[in-house]
Amino acid sequence: MKHLIISTSIAVFLSVGAAFAEMQVTLGAAWDGERVPTGQHCTLFGGNGSTPPMRITGLPAGTVMIIAEYNDRSYQPLSRNGGHGTIGYQVSGGSADLPAVPGLTARNLPRGVQVVKKARGTGRYASDGYLPPCSGGRGNRYSVDLKAVDAGGNVIEQLRRVAIGRY
């Protein structure tokens, strides 16, 4: 009888632990989190950048959208709350592949993707959507905050300051 009680306790513990799997992200293509890949910066400096493609695993139950806030942590005015743009990706299931989204536009985006807030850059740095890294190669640190959102618009879980690279 003692053995049965222990086994049941372990099974309950394991099933509860599985319900609380943490989100994890892997950058795709040439993005390594260390350096912004060649050409993935803004047009002002000769690039034609897009967001990094990402694979997210461990999505909490009920997640219908990932909100990605892109930031330049080295430049205070664009360092938080989607300074380089906020993009929404429709998702379902326990994992999702987020496609690359072209910079500087809110048009012709991949299916299920939308600009939630355009980048806050002004003048030559203005963008209708995502503003690719645009520091001119000064080594600024770029990151993304990822938020799993339910159908009611509530943030269920988030990953903050995921490094996407220096430029």
Side-chain angles (χ1 to χ4, degrees):
M1 185 63 136
K2 196 183 245 184
H3 178 68
L4 179 61
I5 293 170
I6 292 171
S7 297
T8 304
S9 298
I10 290 171
V12 169
F13 175 75
L14 291 175
S15 66
V16 169
F20 293 106
E22 289 186 22
M23 284 190 339
Q24 294 183 343
V25 63
T26 304
L27 301 177
W31 295 84
D32 63 7
E34 297 294 322
R35 297 191 58 76
V36 171
T38 301
Q40 293 300 320
H41 52 281
C42 70
T43 55
L44 287 174
F45 296 101
N48 190 24
S50 298
T51 64
M54 293 178 265
R55 174 141 181 90
I56 301 179
T57 57
L59 290 174
T63 302
V64 298
M65 182 169 279
I66 294 294
I67 302 294
E69 297 176 338
Y70 295 92
N71 300 298
D72 177 347
R73 293 183 51 206
S74 301
Y75 181 61
Q76 202 284 324
L78 304 180
S79 66
R80 58 191 179 89
N81 301 323
H84 272 252
T86 302
I87 307 293
Y89 302 83
Q90 293 177 5
V91 298
S92 63
S95 64
D97 291 309
L98 309 184
V101 175
L104 307 174
T105 186
R107 295 182 174 176
N108 300 319
L109 301 180
R111 184 182 185 132
V113 176
Q114 66 188 46
V115 173
V116 175
K117 286 191 308 189
K118 67 181 188 173
R120 292 194 305 268
T122 59
R124 298 177 4 175
Y125 298 92
S127 170
D128 288 334
Y130 166 71
L131 174 63
C134 210
S135 64
R138 287 183 263 174
N140 287 24
R141 295 173 298 148
Y142 293 88
S143 68
V144 61
D145 294 337
L146 300 165
K147 298 177 180 181
V149 177
D150 67 15
N154 303 303
V155 175
I156 305 169
E157 189 174 335
Q158 62 184 327
L159 294 172
R160 295 181 42 79
R161 296 184 176 172
V162 174
I164 60 175
R166 287 183 176 264
Y167 171 68

